[in-house]
Amino acid sequence: KAGVTQTPRYLIKTRGQQVTLSCSPISGHRSVSWYQQTPGQGLQFLFEYFSETQRNKGNFPGRFSGRQFSNSRSEMNVSTLELGDSALYLCASMDGQGTNSPLHFGNGTRLTVT
Amino acid sequence: GNSVTQMEGPVTLSEEAFLTINCTYTATGYPSLFWYVQYPGEGLQLLLKATKADDKGSNKGFEATYRKETTSFHLEKGSVQVSDSAVYFCALRSQAAGNKLTFGGGTRVLVKP
């Protein structure tokens, strides 16, 4: 079974631009979560989608948004990019709904904002 | 709220040495506990998990026991290899906190031949 696929692997954007990141979960997984990883803040939860509905949201400004499609694929959008948005963005999928189900992560998209 | 504290690295070891990475947590409700590993340039891989008190998770020679009385989930491996060099993250998830994963800061491990 294919793992979680994130595209693109690398992105370079300029301050003020917007960016869209894509995530394809493991086949059959209906939950997709997004995390931001930076050296200073570590791993922080952005949001989770389940069956096209946002189920949980972290403490990020409204510039960060996401959506999920009927095939469970998810996109994350960041508008009006700031230098501090430079990070590794990780997508994870899960096949259950309970706390016992592990998250399976993709290799991430490395975003650099200049 | 939930929080995870793990020992800061880097931890430098020789091959075949014993590895321990300490992890303690604070949680709302009854969390599940996880260890993830991140190799350079890659995402996170699930190493092991434990879902209730006294459970022992194990995988690839690594072990961790869910200790509710000490709110700990320390990772151990008896004999490390160079290929174990990576960053290790302790994490928890509880339904009371909306099922999101809360991570520790990560511990970098470097194993020298």
Side-chain angles (χ1 to χ4, degrees):
Chain A
K1 203 181 245 188
V4 177
T5 304
Q6 292 188 245
T7 57
R9 284 300 305 274
Y10 302 94
L11 267 176
I12 300 176
K13 291 287 186 179
T14 304
R15 261 183 311 175
Q17 288 185 316
Q18 76 165 15
V19 68
T20 299
L21 313 181
S22 182
C23 172
S24 293
I26 292 172
S27 177
H29 288 193
R30 295 163 63 191
S31 167
V32 174
S33 301
W34 289 87
Y35 289 79
Q36 182 197 64
Q37 185 177 24
T38 60
Q41 300 298 316
L43 282 151
Q44 294 187 288
F45 172 76
L46 281 154
F47 26 66
E48 181 199 5
Y49 287 87
F50 183 84
S51 293
E52 301 179 65
T53 301
Q54 187 179 88
R55 189 158 68 172
N56 201 356
K57 189 178 189 307
N59 296 323
F60 279 81
R63 300 185 296 108
F64 292 81
S65 63
R67 59 178 176 169
Q68 186 180 31
F69 302 95
S70 58
N71 62 357
S72 293
R73 190 177 69 86
S74 177
E75 289 182 346
M76 190 190 100
N77 185 274
V78 188
S79 62
T80 321
L81 284 166
E82 301 177 359
L83 294 179
D85 296 333
S86 295
L88 181 66
Y89 289 89
L90 293 165
C91 170
S93 72
M94 183 173 70
D95 65 355
Q97 296 188 55
T99 58
N100 296 346
S101 301
L103 269 65
H104 300 270
F105 284 83
N107 283 333
T109 294
R110 171 79 59 188
L111 172 63
T112 302
V113 182
T114 62
Chain B
N2 293 347
S3 67
V4 177
T5 302
Q6 61 182 107
M7 59 190 290
E8 290 191 24
V11 174
T12 303
L13 303 164
S14 297
E15 213 166 16
E16 299 184 1
F18 184 87
L19 171 68
T20 298
I21 303 176
N22 290 337
C23 170
T24 57
Y25 67 89
T26 303
T28 305
Y30 302 94
S32 292
L33 303 175
F34 305 86
W35 276 100
Y36 281 87
V37 59
Q38 187 174 36
Y39 299 100
E42 297 184 11
L44 302 174
Q45 296 179 25
L46 177 68
L47 186 56
L48 52 85
K49 69 172 185 176
T51 59
K52 61 182 187 297
D54 299 324
D55 265 2
K56 178 186 280 188
S58 61
N59 186 27
K60 299 180 182 178
F62 290 90
E63 292 184 342
T65 301
Y66 190 143
R67 300 288 188 200
K68 190 174 180 182
E69 64 276 11
T70 54
T71 61
S72 65
F73 192 53
H74 305 321
L75 182 69
E76 297 180 336
K77 185 174 185 182
S79 177
V80 294
Q81 306 300 312
V82 172
S83 58
D84 294 325
S85 298
V87 181
Y88 293 80
F89 292 91
C90 184
L92 70 83
R93 197 161 86 230
S94 70
Q95 194 168 14
N99 272 337
K100 68 178 184 181
L101 266 177
T102 299
F103 288 92
T107 302
R108 182 175 300 277
V109 173
L110 177 60
V111 181
K112 296 186 174 180

